[in-house]
Amino acid sequence: MLHAGLLRHPPARPGASKGTVDWPTRFRQLAEDATDTRLKAFYAAGSIDSDMALSAAPLVALDVETTGLDPVRDGIVSIGLVPMSLERIRASASRHWILKPRVPLAAESVAVHGITDSQVRLAPDLLHILDEFLQRMAGQVMVVHCREIERQFIDQALRVRIGEGIEFPVIDTMELEARLHRGQRLGWLDRLRGRKPQEASVRLADSRRRYGLPRYRPHHAMTDALSTAELLQAQVAHRFAPDTPIRDLWC
């Protein structure tokens, strides 16, 4: 996966902490406002209650690979979806699409994700797999590593194709890892020696390494989705209780 800029976040719930979204209420409003039938059905499936325990939440790990870093000028070349829970990863129910973007592949992006012109030449446009894609996302909480990528690129891709964007709740494993390392402090001896806090990398591979997870080939949508699913399981096992309310992790 690549890294992009900041996302336009949905409105926060009144009285909630910054960044917290009342997703059930938001989905009901979006279902009323949507005009595309596929998008309306996606929102009509609803969102789980924010008090639901993480162990009971329906989760799907999601990753996209793109032609570049700009969601307006670049496009999606592949999507990986991996259904999961805290106890298991349903690899047999996974889905991977290679897609034909509406912009040419750049040599730099081919070097990153390895998807070539010959592979995308006969690949479908996102519009042709949109029904299945939205059905697989419906009613689920997406698990991603760097939410700005998935949210912005999928939102922009739909705006171009159907004239409407999309909003959906996510658990961002990169944000969960950043929370941990933002809170770290130096011991008194290190402070006495004049040492400064060092920022730990929250990239997917580096985050996995801290939990002893194996190294996989990076920048493949299916593999990165699987890597993200495993990372969330490890993060929860080390730092959260299974009955943690979903509101404490999603955004």
Side-chain angles (χ1 to χ4, degrees), residues 132-244:
E132 182 183 358
F133 178 53
L134 291 179
Q135 287 169 14
R136 285 176 175 264
M137 288 178 63
Q140 312 294 306
V141 178
M142 300 295 106
V143 179
V144 302
H145 194 80
C146 188
R147 61 186 179 272
E148 286 82 4
I149 291 290
E150 279 71 27
R151 274 179 165 168
Q152 283 197 28
F153 270 89
I154 295 171
D155 176 76
Q156 181 61 28
L158 293 194
R159 289 182 186 278
V160 169
R161 288 164 175 79
I162 65 175
E164 297 180 73
I166 188 171
E167 297 177 19
F168 52 89
V170 301
I171 296 174
D172 185 350
T173 54
M174 187 172 77
E175 168 60 23
L176 296 184
E177 203 65 13
R179 287 185 201 175
L180 173 66
H181 294 288
R182 279 199 300 260
Q184 287 185 342
R185 295 182 179 180
L186 291 176
W188 68 269
L189 185 58
D190 287 329
R191 294 198 303 272
L192 187 64
R193 290 172 175 170
R195 292 181 181 171
K196 295 183 179 180
Q198 304 226 343
E199 282 203 27
S201 170
V202 292
R203 294 172 67 88
L204 182 56
D206 295 328
S207 298
R208 286 174 57 84
R209 190 177 302 115
R210 282 190 285 273
Y211 296 93
L213 296 171
R215 180 176 177 82
Y216 294 152
R217 170 194 166 188
H219 305 301
H220 183 283
M222 177 63 76
T223 306
D224 278 356
L226 173 62
S227 296
T228 302
E230 291 179 345
L231 176 58
L232 178 64
Q233 288 180 328
Q235 289 173 321
V236 173
H238 283 80
R239 297 165 45 201
F240 299 96
D243 60 354
T244 300

Side-chain angles (χ1 to χ4, degrees), residues 2-7 66 68-71 146 148-150 152-153:
L2 304 173
H3 293 277
L6 296 176
L7 170 73
T66 65
L69 297 172
D70 188 331
C146 188
E148 286 82 4
I149 291 290
E150 279 71 27
Q152 283 197 28
F153 270 89

Side-chain angles (χ1 to χ4, degrees), residues 32 56 60 67 89 96 105 128 139 150 166 187 205 213 220 226:
E32 292 181 10
V60 176
T67 62
I89 293 172
H96 179 240
L105 290 175
H128 294 135
E150 279 71 27
I166 188 171
L213 296 171
H220 183 283
L226 173 62

Side-chain angles (χ1 to χ4, degrees), residues 17-53:
S17 60
K18 183 179 180 181
T20 301
V21 179
D22 181 354
W23 284 109
T25 299
R26 183 65 179 154
F27 265 45
R28 285 192 290 272
Q29 184 61 56
L30 290 167
E32 292 181 10
D33 296 342
T35 57
D36 183 89
T37 55
R38 293 159 295 191
L39 205 55
K40 186 177 283 291
F42 168 74
Y43 291 130
S47 172
I48 63 172
D49 188 83
S50 62
D51 292 326
M52 179 178 286

